[in-house]
Amino acid sequence: MSNSAIANATYTAKTLDERTALEVSPDYSLRTLGCPIPAVGDLGSLSDAVLHPESFDKHLSRSRWLCAMDTIARFRPAACFLLLFLGIRPAYAQGDVPAAQHRNWDFSIWAAGATGEENTNSFSEAQTLTAAVFVGKEVTGEIGSGWRRGRLEYGFDLIPVFRQFSPQPIYGRGFEPVILRWNSGLHSDRVAPYIELAGGALRTNSNFPAGDTSNFNFTARIGGGIQVFAKPHQSVDIGCRWSHISNANLGVRNPEFNGIQVSLAFHWFP
């Protein structure tokens, strides 16, 4: 068989451990699927590559090695990032803040915005802003088992700022003497969830909601959130609650405020 005939022929070589299609092209270049290998001319001649399988296998092994190096080069940034992550993660784990530490006292300042309904059954009817100071103390160690385990915390709020923006501007102050918070035992190193129930009273500069209602109302809320511990004795608290305000029929009418309240708090644990 002449060299020109060999050059125009196409061969398929299959190894025992991998089926790789190899094409012998007229330009004396052998290529695997997506992975170039050195020219056949490096073996001496095209006929040598075809007639001497052992030389061809050696040539193919070199090809696979070059292909592997090319793949590593392509993914070098990702590999560096992975090594950096694996190196940093152990150091980060050693510096994790224990979220389950016992809190003798819990001091916090928080602010919350709420949107809800009073008369029209529309949650966009009324918007309020509340700011408060919280003092709490865990009254139990960890109790319960499984997903129910946790610690009970009792606290109270002083509310120096209450502001309704719409439908009418109203100002007030309040007090929540009963806040029960369940600090869940299911937590990660820095994040701890909780649920809470609170009740209190609110006095405003005019009737709330506006009309023949009352300027003295009772408040109730229930919800939960998460605490993110930045330092051993500090955390940021993000919460979401159902908020209810009504005068318990102290006024001629009792339309109530019902809404969703989102809060942000900063805690210190001395």
Side-chain angles (χ1 to χ4, degrees):
M1 183 179 295
S2 64
N3 286 342
S4 61
I6 295 176
N8 292 322
T10 299
Y11 295 88
T12 301
K14 297 181 179 179
T15 60
L16 294 176
D17 60 338
E18 177 183 5
R19 296 182 177 183
T20 305
L22 298 171
E23 182 182 65
V24 182
S25 60
D27 61 352
Y28 299 100
S29 177
L30 297 177
R31 292 182 178 275
T32 59
L33 297 176
C35 193
I37 60 177
V40 179
D42 293 343
L43 294 175
S45 68
L46 179 63
S47 58
D48 290 338
V50 176
L51 300 177
H52 299 283
E54 64 280 0
S55 299
F56 186 79
D57 289 342
K58 181 178 179 180
H59 195 67
L60 183 59
S61 297
R62 183 186 177 191
S63 167
R64 290 172 177 168
W65 182 84
L66 291 174
C67 184
M69 294 299 101
D70 180 68
T71 302
I72 292 174
R74 291 179 184 179
F75 291 95
R76 183 170 54 187
C80 292
F81 176 80
L82 180 60
L83 292 175
L84 181 63
F85 174 79
L86 293 176
I88 290 177
R89 178 58 192 167
Y92 174 81
Q94 293 174 3
D96 282 343
V97 177
Q101 63 178 340
H102 186 67
R103 308 165 191 174
N104 291 323
W105 288 98
D106 180 357
F107 296 96
S108 170
I109 57 174
W110 60 268
T115 183
E117 56 87 18
E118 295 175 352
N119 297 289
T120 64
N121 294 322
S122 172
F123 265 49
S124 62
E125 178 185 2
Q127 287 77 44
T128 67
L129 174 67
T130 306
V133 177
F134 169 82
V135 179
K137 180 177 175 62
E138 284 189 342
V139 294
T140 70
E142 188 167 284
I143 57 177
S145 60
W147 64 270
R148 296 180 296 273
R149 74 180 189 274
R151 303 182 184 200
L152 180 63
E153 180 177 352
Y154 166 78
F156 64 89
D157 275 339
L158 296 175
I159 306 174
V161 178
F162 175 84
R163 172 78 157 89
Q164 178 178 265
F165 297 96
S166 63
Q168 291 186 1
I170 297 176
Y171 302 86
R173 297 179 178 86
F175 176 57
E176 288 179 325
V178 178
I179 301 176
L180 300 177
R181 173 176 289 199
W182 183 258
N183 296 309
S184 175
L186 300 178
H187 54 77
S188 65
D189 292 327
R190 289 178 177 264
V191 179
Y194 69 88
I195 57 175
E196 69 176 8
L197 173 68
L202 176 69
R203 180 176 289 277
T204 53
N205 63 332
S206 61
N207 288 352
F208 176 85
D212 51 353
T213 57
S214 173
N215 68 347
F216 184 85
N217 287 269
F218 298 95
T219 65
R221 57 184 172 85
I222 184 172
I226 58 172
Q227 284 189 325
V228 181
F229 286 77
K231 297 180 180 180
H233 299 285
Q234 296 180 17
S235 73
V236 177
D237 176 343
I238 303 172
C240 184
R241 312 154 177 165
W242 176 265
S243 177
H244 171 85
I245 304 174
S246 67
N247 60 39
N249 295 318
L250 294 177
V252 177
R253 296 175 57 247
N254 183 22
E256 304 178 352
F257 169 87
N258 294 291
I260 298 296
Q261 187 181 67
V262 177
S263 65
L264 178 65
F266 297 92
H267 290 260
W268 293 268
F269 309 103

